[in-house]
Amino acid sequence: MAADDACPLPSGAASAPPSACPDTLGEPAGARAPHDCGIRLSAPSSMAEQQSRREGGGNAREEAVTAGSVHTAIVRHAHCSLACGDRDELSPSDAYRAAAMSVRDHLVARMDATERAYDDAGCKRVYYLSMEYLIGRMLQLAVTCLGLDAQYREALLQLGVALEEVAEEEHDPALGNGGLGRLAACFLDSLTTHHFPAWGYGIRYRYGMFEQRIAALRQHEAPDAWLHPAGCPWEIPRPHVRHAVRFFGHVAVRVDGTRTRYRWEGGEQVEAVASDMPVPGFRSGNVNRLRLWRCEPLSGGFDLSLFNAGRHVEAVAGKARAEAISAVLYPEDSSEAGQQLRLQQEYFFVSATLQDIIARHKASGRAVSALPQQAAVQLNDTHPALAVPEAMRLLLDHEGLEWADAWQATVALLAFTNHTVLPEALERWPVPLVQRVLPRIMDLIFEINHRHLQEVESRGVNEGQRLARLSVIEESHPKMVRMAVLAAVGSHAINGVAELHSALLRTHLLPDLLDLYPARFHSKTNGITPRRWLLLANPRLSQVITKWVGTDEWLRDLSLIQGLRAHASSPALHADWTAAKLANKQRLAAHIRATCGVEVESVALFDCQCKRIHEYKRQLLNILAVIHRYNSIKCSSFEERARMVPRVVVMAGKAAPGYFRAKCVIHLINAVAQRVNSDPDISGLLKVVFLPNYSVSLAQLIVPASDISQHISTAGMEASGTSNMKFALNGGLLLGTMDGATIEIAHAIGRENVFVFGALAQETHSLRHSLRFRQPIHDDRLVQVMRTIEAGVFGPPDDFRPLLESLGGGNDYFLLSHDWASYLDAQHSVDTLFLNPTEWCRRSIIAASMMGRFSSDRTIAEYARDIWHLQPVVVPEVLNTR
């Protein structure tokens, strides 16, 4: 283990007396919430009792972890880390923090042992670079991974509180926004569980993206202040691990003999300061780490002379500029200042990370030219694409390599995962902006592109349009840097994240690069971790699966879940399965009541669409169909209503702050919900709820309760999607288009077990083309829905005019009107099947049982084999959990 990362736990720390609380883990006391929990602290164990526990050596490897030792550790942290006195009552927040710190003690011990094992093995490591990590709450996952669930439950009950109550005090870390961040978290879980040497790298956002609030039926954004004033208990500050990052300035040129050397000078420098979060593996001695960077001013950020001169704001301007870089995920970039900040954020991230990787590699005594043999760097989408020129800058300007050697090392080091084919998500940066903010990086991008096009021409490609498509620089006004092309040119491997997406990557996005570098292209279908998304989210169903499969080894090998299929028609399994589903629906119903004030019936069909709000994901199609259902109920007779399926429509997701039309969709959803839920005439046949501030924790409530979930993107526009996997694994049936990973799920579980509708990806281009020359022919039912909105049933129609206009003329790019009729047919099939609960349950069991392929464990094994060439290093258990 590198010296700068060592954080050894003192011998016997788990049961050390209060006077021996180590500052090694550096948890400040900070302000505490008012004492309102009634959890009375017992006095810490006597010295004699603790000495008795330590007899026989007392180190973490030998000492048994019991409920008693856990209780002692929690009390010790309450006293020493939180400064709670003997007579104090712990607040719920303090109880959580003390428990979390005691768990972290075990994780740090394992993390230290893991790094030593990796160093001793001299193994290759993978470094996963992602702007997002939606890791979710840590406490319950960590104690489960450590095998200490029973001990923590008993210890906390001795303090008068349940583990679940304490876990509710944890705020989801605001380090991500959507599927990209959740995938990264699943990958870290799988890497550690299966013993792969790995580090994650990201940014420690102070305020996340935003906290979504609904007021006057509209989305409003507030800072997501996820960090407790005393910090996050899972963090391990590394104030000595810091790297300087430069912006602006100029490039100085110096001729040294026959070689021209470049030096980036002037401008403004900031510092990237590290914090580590442990990443536990399930039933694994390995604990990897997620290293997060926060941005600080290089010089302290306070100019005393300016302050004393009365220029108080100017005195801290440098500090404000630096801290803004790591303040918010994806700063709104509709302004030039916003674009600059986002560019600075991405460069800050990759520069600090690559400096850290190279410094740790050199500290091992190896030559920098050997870096690709010891490290693999995976770029999670285009956000870290500046790693290509930054790696070249470090290898050329700092390490003194020649261009050919530096380029060979860079390409061998980097691999690129593309996650989208959406034009707006394929990042492009104006060349003048990059030249001004990152002058040396822009010089290197020009040189990379020049040499790349020379190679292209040397292979006989000289046709102008094809050269333009292959160029990293787009010849527009202004010129733009195309980050997907840059990442692809500078990486030895390029992969899509589902079979359809990988095909589109080859045929639509980068077809010319495929001709040049066919061996670089791979397909790696995404996956999810069953530890988070079944064991933790759905313990009731997990118990049912273990009972019927006959083992809980499916938690490490999800293919074993296929054993359920043989029992899919068993009445006894049906009884267990439906009981678990009903309990989960009751749990969600209670949350809906508490959050939205809406009473829903747990026996109704729970219909869920929960994901980022975007036009291509077509939440608008869903809510228009809800309006159609509402109109149908209003017009139906008593006898017709008696045959209808009661439905609870649950929607959740955030719209980007500057995405006006997506925010308009949220407004319409809430307006429809307000009308429907207050209409006594529909007799509970329909309820609509929009749950605000969608997060991992909220998903863990919604996903297990789903009867049907909707994945209804316009075909060819969803790269993969992973929410479809989560819902299906939890026994929810899918309603969706043949898009992303839904295609592969339908193939795995049987297309008859998926409610499929809509145009296929190969049809969408011609359908859009035809819309340019004719008015869309709207189904009468869609016309009636539009008239209902225009009549003001859900509020002023002008509020929703942009949505209605998007369906007219040649504006229906996302093909809602084309897919409308088949969508309603699919919804009718859902209702029909739900009226046959035995068949519904059988299909639910079959669907879940065939989801083994969609574990992130399988995905990571493929990356390790095909792209990273990585071998596992098994770290022995360091805890005795008798």
Side-chain angles (χ1 to χ4, degrees):
M1 182 177 182
D4 66 332
D5 295 319
C7 188
L9 196 68
S11 177
S15 57
S19 60
C21 283
D23 338 270
T24 325
L25 304 181
E27 191 65 39
R32 295 187 288 115
H35 293 162
D36 57 0
C37 183
I39 306 171
R40 177 68 66 180
L41 280 179
S42 58
S45 303
S46 69
M47 294 291 287
E49 289 173 324
Q50 293 179 52
Q51 180 61 38
S52 175
R53 289 195 185 100
R54 290 197 297 273
E55 288 178 358
N59 59 53
R61 184 178 299 275
E62 296 172 355
E63 186 174 341
V65 179
T66 65
S69 65
V70 168
H71 178 273
T72 299
I74 294 173
V75 171
R76 173 173 59 82
H77 275 294
H79 281 290
C80 299
S81 302
L82 303 179
C84 297
D86 289 351
R87 297 181 179 275
D88 286 340
E89 290 181 349
L90 282 179
S91 70
S93 175
D94 286 340
Y96 155 67
R97 292 179 64 77
M101 287 182 229
S102 71
V103 175
R104 191 185 69 171
D105 290 347
H106 298 300
L107 294 177
V108 170
R110 286 191 177 197
M111 191 166 67
D112 183 39
T114 298
E115 283 303 309
R116 283 199 304 271
Y118 294 166
D119 287 342
D120 292 346
C123 61
K124 186 177 187 179
R125 291 172 170 88
V126 63
Y127 299 102
Y128 196 80
L129 275 61
S130 179
M131 289 288 285
E132 295 187 40
Y133 291 93
L134 270 177
I135 59 178
R137 292 172 175 166
M138 284 281 292
L139 180 59
Q140 284 188 278
L141 180 66
V143 298
T144 300
C145 286
L146 290 167
L148 298 177
D149 185 81
Q151 290 90 327
Y152 269 84
R153 288 183 183 280
E154 184 178 342
L156 287 167
L157 285 175
Q158 291 174 17
L159 291 169
V161 63
L163 174 59
E164 288 77 12
E165 295 176 62
V166 172
E168 283 296 313
E169 291 298 315
E170 184 172 0
H171 196 304
D172 279 41
L175 301 173
N177 172 47
L180 190 75
R182 188 52 239 168
L183 178 74
C186 286
F187 279 6
L188 292 187
D189 173 280
S190 290
L191 281 162
T192 312
T193 294
H194 291 281
H195 315 294
F196 287 109
W199 286 35
Y201 277 99
I203 295 179
R204 182 187 185 269
Y205 302 105
R206 180 68 183 85
Y207 296 109
M209 189 173 179
F210 62 86
E211 179 183 323
Q212 182 190 54
R213 298 176 182 174
I214 303 299
L217 307 180
R218 292 173 168 85
Q219 171 180 295
H220 296 267
E221 300 88 29
D224 190 351
W226 68 279
L227 285 167
H228 189 277
C232 172
W234 304 106
E235 281 189 312
I236 303 157
R238 305 290 193 192
H240 55 290
V241 180
R242 50 182 66 222
H243 300 284
V245 179
R246 190 183 301 274
F247 301 107
F248 311 109
H250 63 277
V251 179
V253 182
R254 176 172 62 87
V255 178
D256 183 6
T258 60
R259 182 173 178 179
T260 303
R261 297 188 179 276
Y262 300 87
R263 183 178 177 85
W264 187 358
E265 298 176 343
E268 183 175 65
Q269 284 187 291
V270 297
E271 273 195 317
V273 184
S275 295
D276 291 342
M277 298 182 84
V279 180
F282 181 73
R283 294 179 185 166
S284 165
N286 298 53
V287 171
N288 288 326
R289 71 183 67 198
L290 170 60
R291 176 156 286 182
L292 302 172
W293 302 109
R294 72 178 185 277
C295 191
E296 293 184 354
L298 185 67
S299 58
F302 182 75
D303 190 319
L304 185 59
S305 61
L306 285 176
F307 190 86
N308 288 337
R311 296 158 67 182
H312 305 138
V313 174
E314 291 178 68
V316 294
K319 178 179 174 66
R321 285 195 302 273
E323 292 181 350
I325 290 172
S326 58
V328 175
L329 168 65
Y330 302 145
E332 171 56 39
D333 62 353
S334 55
S335 66
E336 185 175 343
Q339 281 191 342
Q340 176 181 305
L341 182 59
R342 189 178 284 202
L343 177 64
Q344 286 181 289
Q345 187 179 78
E346 293 186 2
Y347 178 69
F348 162 81
F349 168 43
V350 299
S351 180
T353 298
L354 288 174
Q355 288 184 65
D356 200 52
I357 292 169
I358 292 173
R360 295 179 64 255
H361 173 78
K362 291 170 66 177
S364 71
R366 295 180 175 90
V368 74
S369 58
L371 182 61
Q373 286 75 55
Q374 294 299 121
V377 174
Q378 187 70 38
L379 309 180
N380 192 27
D381 217 0
T382 56
H383 310 120
L386 288 171
V388 175
E390 177 62 6
M392 290 297 290
R393 184 186 74 85
L394 293 171
L395 294 175
L396 291 168
D397 299 356
H398 288 249
E399 303 301 331
L401 270 63
E402 298 291 341
W403 181 279
D405 294 332
W407 184 247
Q408 183 180 21
T410 295
V411 173
L413 179 69
L414 303 179
F416 167 51
T417 299
N418 172 269
H419 282 277
T420 185
V421 294
L422 294 180
E424 71 270 23
L426 293 171
E427 289 187 304
R428 297 154 63 250
W429 291 110
V431 166
L433 175 65
V434 182
Q435 283 179 316
R436 180 170 59 85
V437 179
L438 308 171
R440 178 59 176 144
I441 294 302
M442 193 66 247
D443 286 352
L444 287 164
I445 291 173
F446 279 137
E447 185 64 19
I448 289 167
N449 193 48
H450 172 68
R451 292 176 183 244
H452 163 60
L453 292 179
Q454 279 188 324
E455 181 185 352
V456 169
E457 289 184 315
S458 73
R459 297 191 182 197
V461 178
N462 50 26
E463 189 267 318
Q465 288 189 347
R466 193 172 181 201
L467 285 172
R469 291 195 302 268
L470 283 164
S471 177
V472 174
I473 306 299
E474 178 184 295
E475 298 295 332
S476 53
H477 301 285
K479 293 181 179 180
M480 307 290 283
V481 182
R482 299 194 295 164
M483 304 307 285
V485 178
L486 176 63
V489 168
S491 299
H492 72 274
I494 306 156
N495 73 278
V497 292
E499 289 176 2
L500 174 61
H501 171 244
S502 298
L504 293 172
L505 192 63
R506 292 180 170 99
T507 59
H508 287 68
L509 185 61
L510 300 171
D512 299 290
L513 279 172
L514 174 67
D515 292 341
L516 286 176
Y517 310 115
R520 291 188 183 184
F521 284 77
H522 300 257
S523 181
K524 298 286 174 270
T525 298
N526 286 340
I528 59 172
T529 166
R531 276 77 64 180
R532 168 73 69 175
W533 291 110
L534 197 46
L535 178 63
L536 203 62
N538 200 344
R540 292 179 178 88
L541 188 61
S542 297
Q543 291 169 5
V544 172
I545 292 170
T546 297
K547 171 184 172 180
W548 285 87
V549 173
T551 178
D552 65 357
E553 282 301 309
W554 59 267
L555 288 163
R556 287 178 56 90
D557 180 2
L558 193 58
S559 66
L560 295 176
I561 203 174
Q562 189 171 345
L564 288 170
R565 183 162 189 154
H567 309 287
S569 298
S570 166
L573 175 54
H574 281 213
D576 289 346
W577 198 265
T578 55
K581 179 64 72 175
L582 180 60
N584 289 323
K585 292 169 73 172
Q586 290 169 340
R587 183 178 63 162
L588 179 57
H591 179 80
I592 291 170
R593 181 169 56 252
T595 303
C596 304
V598 177
E599 293 283 349
V600 301
E601 293 293 334
S602 301
V603 294
L605 186 152
F606 277 33
D607 172 358
C608 305
Q609 188 184 20
C610 305
K611 52 188 72 197
R612 179 167 53 95
I613 309 297
H614 196 291
E615 287 172 278
Y616 88 86
K617 293 179 183 287
R618 301 202 295 189
Q619 286 91 350
L620 178 58
L621 178 61
N622 187 351
I623 198 62
L624 292 176
V626 170
I627 296 172
H628 167 68
R629 183 177 292 269
Y630 175 65
N631 287 342
S632 299
I633 295 170
K634 294 285 285 183
C635 296
S636 62
S637 66
F638 178 80
E639 291 77 12
E640 290 169 330
R641 294 187 185 195
R643 295 191 294 271
M644 290 181 176
V645 174
R647 187 178 289 226
V648 176
V649 178
V650 179
M651 302 181 76
K654 295 180 179 180
Y659 196 169
F660 172 74
R661 196 169 284 173
K663 295 174 81 169
C664 194
V665 171
I666 292 176
H667 182 192
L668 179 59
I669 293 168
N670 283 297
V672 171
Q674 183 181 66
R675 173 73 181 214
V676 168
N677 298 340
S678 61
D679 188 342
D681 187 42
I682 60 174
S683 304
L685 284 173
L686 181 63
K687 296 287 186 181
V688 182
V689 292
F690 183 89
L691 292 173
N693 207 38
Y694 190 51
S695 64
V696 173
S697 295
L698 183 53
Q700 288 177 212
L701 278 174
I702 296 171
V703 169
S706 162
D707 290 307
I708 193 81
S709 63
Q710 300 202 34
H711 311 275
I712 57 177
S713 54
T714 309
M717 303 196 76
E718 185 73 85
S720 169
T722 55
S723 66
N724 43 14
M725 303 173 190
K726 294 161 193 159
F727 282 104
L729 182 60
N730 279 269
L733 297 184
L734 306 185
L735 186 158
T737 51
M738 295 302 280
D739 195 25
T742 301
I743 298 171
E744 293 167 66
I745 293 173
H747 178 74
I749 71 177
R751 182 161 171 161
E752 67 278 8
N753 296 314
V754 179
F755 300 94
V756 176
F757 76 97
L760 301 177
Q762 60 266 32
E763 299 170 340
T764 57
H765 178 74
S766 60
L767 288 169
R768 290 186 180 114
H769 182 74
S770 68
L771 286 175
R772 298 176 189 173
F773 305 104
R774 63 171 177 80
Q775 288 288 328
I777 302 172
H778 285 153
D779 183 288
D780 288 344
R781 295 166 294 183
L782 181 57
V783 171
Q784 183 58 44
V785 167
M786 296 169 71
R787 287 175 179 168
T788 303
I789 296 171
E790 289 171 336
V793 172
F794 307 108
D798 285 347
D799 288 352
F800 311 115
R801 189 72 59 200
L803 301 181
L804 297 175
E805 290 174 352
S806 73
L807 301 174
N811 300 327
D812 191 10
Y813 182 81
F814 301 100
L815 304 178
L816 275 73
S817 57
H818 177 273
D819 286 356
W820 169 260
S822 62
Y823 178 61
L824 293 188
D825 290 344
Q827 289 281 18
H828 178 71
S829 297
V830 171
D831 286 340
T832 300
L833 184 63
F834 197 74
L835 291 170
N836 183 347
T838 299
E839 179 60 17
W840 183 283
C841 185
R842 188 187 71 84
R843 294 195 190 186
S844 169
I845 293 167
I846 290 174
S849 72
M850 302 306 293
M851 288 298 293
R853 165 171 162 71
F854 301 98
S855 169
S856 52
D857 298 346
R858 184 267 314 155
T859 313
I860 285 299
E862 292 180 2
Y863 273 101
R865 180 193 66 212
D866 301 335
I867 295 177
W868 304 329
H869 308 296
L870 197 67
Q871 296 298 319
V873 175
V874 178
V875 179
E877 294 275 354
V878 298
L879 294 177
N880 179 348
T881 58
R882 291 175 297 176

